[in-house]
Amino acid sequence: MVVLVDTVSLNQVRPRHPEKVNRPDALSPPKPDWIRVRAPNTRGYADTRKIVKENGLVTVCEEAGCPNIGECWDKKHATFMIMGDTCTRACAFCNVKTGMPGALDVAEPEHVAEATFKLGLTHVVVTSVDRDDLADGGAEHFAQTIRAIRARCPTTTIEILTPDFLRKEGALEVVVAAKPDVFNHNLETVPARYLTVRPGARYFHSIRLLQRVKEIDPTIFTKSGIMVGLGEERHEVLQVMDDLRSADVDFLTIGQYLQPTRKHHAVIRYVTPDEFAGYEKVAYTKGFLMVSATPLTRSSHHAGEDFAKLQAARAARHG
């Protein structure tokens, strides 16, 4: 009698992006010189990585392949990604894993608070995967994390970068009631590109989400960002600015889209530094308190320094 043991199918590694596996490769042009960054290899980077791993935390810095990870982690600045490392959506630009996430870790808010304390953060950024599988989209988990950080680090200011809570009635109100200092929700791209770039989301729902934050609590700073280089036109970017200002959004970030793998959306073109400078200038004329528009701008890059500037800008405007 012969016994066959299948050592292949039992140990198959699930692809990071199962919905993208069968897509044809999308080729992007070579990166220009202004995009290149140095590999992370400093002592500060290693110390930050150790604290993150010891507390069993996930960071968007790693999961999304952020080009600024070396600079930020060297300064002990990390953006924590709560509710696991697996997203229920499959945006064409994003490098975060796609699939059905596991159960929430009830101890995670305390772990985030402890890591915030150990890193000595004066300003912390917390984001998450999309959790369409949860009745509230993870709103209560966000609120618990905010409260845990407040209890452990009472002087630390808190910035959150949330999903859109699409079809999650009452979820936004739960998060806003926890009173983060900055509420960020990214539009990611212009509305005409949503079907191919961000198909699970709705542009005007996201605009309304940001507007609703201000209606509930005008003291909270609001923030949003887009990527460029995905095939958008300049006039479409300017319209996004107007839409955000109509929702009273305070802070706009604009950065260059970078393709994580050939299965992701291609870079249509690399926007020049001069064009970014032009976007920044126009955005300020439209009334934003803060604007960051550079090729390597990302939502939480320099978030602590930018928060201080936001406070100063509001104080100067309202004198």
Side-chain angles (χ1 to χ4, degrees), residues 83 86-89 91 101 128-133 137 163-165:
M83 297 191 278
T86 304
C87 187
T88 54
R89 297 195 191 172
C91 296
S128 78
V129 290
D130 272 286
R131 291 297 303 257
D132 296 308
D133 59 309
D164 59 12
F165 301 119

Side-chain angles (χ1 to χ4, degrees), residues 151-162:
R152 187 72 173 95
C153 309
T155 61
T156 297
T157 49
I158 301 170
E159 179 172 331
I160 57 171
L161 171 56
T162 76

Side-chain angles (χ1 to χ4, degrees), residues 12-56:
Q12 287 181 337
V13 178
R14 187 177 185 276
R16 186 175 181 88
H17 304 286
E19 80 294 340
K20 298 181 176 74
V21 168
N22 295 320
R23 291 181 183 176
D25 286 359
L27 301 182
S28 296
K31 290 180 183 177
D33 291 341
W34 63 77
I35 290 293
R36 305 186 187 283
V37 294
R38 292 193 301 179
N41 58 2
T42 64
R43 175 63 182 274
Y45 171 87
D47 290 345
T48 299
R49 190 175 189 279
K50 183 171 183 287
I51 291 170
V52 167
K53 299 307 175 188
E54 284 177 349
N55 286 274

Side-chain angles (χ1 to χ4, degrees), residues 170-297:
L172 175 66
E173 289 75 8
V174 169
V175 179
V176 175
K179 294 189 74 69
D181 296 282
V182 181
F183 190 108
N184 185 4
H185 171 65
N186 286 333
L187 296 180
E188 307 295 5
T189 187
V190 302
R193 306 301 303 161
Y194 262 51
L195 189 60
T196 54
V197 174
R198 198 183 176 215
R202 300 294 178 267
Y203 177 80
F204 287 106
H205 169 82
S206 289
I207 291 287
R208 177 60 182 148
L209 183 89
L210 291 159
Q211 185 180 45
R212 182 77 182 125
V213 173
K214 281 292 192 186
E215 290 174 354
I216 300 169
D217 189 342
T219 67
I220 296 176
F221 289 104
T222 49
K223 179 177 177 180
S224 190
I226 63 169
M227 303 167 290
V228 290
L230 285 160
E232 72 291 328
E233 300 290 339
R234 177 179 168 82
H235 71 88
E236 293 178 301
V237 175
L238 301 187
Q239 183 61 57
V240 168
M241 293 181 190
D242 288 337
D243 292 343
L244 288 171
R245 286 303 301 136
S246 72
D248 201 22
V249 170
D250 300 303
F251 190 171
L252 171 65
T253 62
I254 305 176
Q256 171 70 50
Y257 167 65
L258 299 176
Q259 185 185 37
T261 75
R262 290 189 174 187
K263 299 299 183 183
H264 288 76
H265 196 295
V267 175
I268 305 304
R269 77 181 186 96
Y270 291 102
V271 178
T272 67
D274 285 347
E275 289 176 272
F276 277 103
Y279 281 139
E280 179 177 314
K281 185 175 181 179
V282 172
Y284 273 121
T285 67
K286 291 180 180 291
F288 290 98
L289 288 178
M290 274 287 297
V291 182
S292 178
T294 71
L296 291 176
T297 288

Side-chain angles (χ1 to χ4, degrees), residues 27-177:
L27 301 182
S28 296
K31 290 180 183 177
D33 291 341
W34 63 77
I35 290 293
R36 305 186 187 283
V37 294
R38 292 193 301 179
N41 58 2
T42 64
R43 175 63 182 274
Y45 171 87
D47 290 345
T48 299
R49 190 175 189 279
K50 183 171 183 287
I51 291 170
V52 167
K53 299 307 175 188
E54 284 177 349
N55 286 274
L57 298 173
V58 178
T59 69
V60 74
C61 321
E62 297 169 291
E63 297 302 317
C66 180
N68 302 314
I69 188 171
E71 176 191 348
C72 292
W73 282 29
D74 181 51
K75 299 175 182 176
K76 295 191 174 180
H77 295 169
T79 297
F80 301 117
M81 192 168 78
I82 59 175
M83 297 191 278
D85 64 355
T86 304
C87 187
T88 54
R89 297 195 191 172
C91 296
F93 65 88
C94 186
N95 198 40
V96 174
K97 282 196 296 187
T98 301
M100 182 53 69
L104 292 179
D105 177 1
V106 295
E108 185 174 52
E110 296 298 334
H111 291 159
V112 172
E114 187 61 25
T116 300
F117 177 79
K118 288 180 178 178
L119 287 167
L121 299 179
T122 57
H123 184 84
V124 62
V125 183
V126 180
T127 188
S128 78
V129 290
D130 272 286
R131 291 297 303 257
D132 296 308
D133 59 309
L134 301 176
D136 69 347
E140 179 58 32
H141 201 76
F142 258 108
Q144 289 175 6
T145 302
I146 293 168
R147 290 193 290 265
I149 295 169
R150 289 264 187 253
R152 187 72 173 95
C153 309
T155 61
T156 297
T157 49
I158 301 170
E159 179 172 331
I160 57 171
L161 171 56
T162 76
D164 59 12
F165 301 119
L166 188 64
R167 304 182 189 92
K168 306 295 182 183
E169 192 70 30
L172 175 66
E173 289 75 8
V174 169
V175 179
V176 175

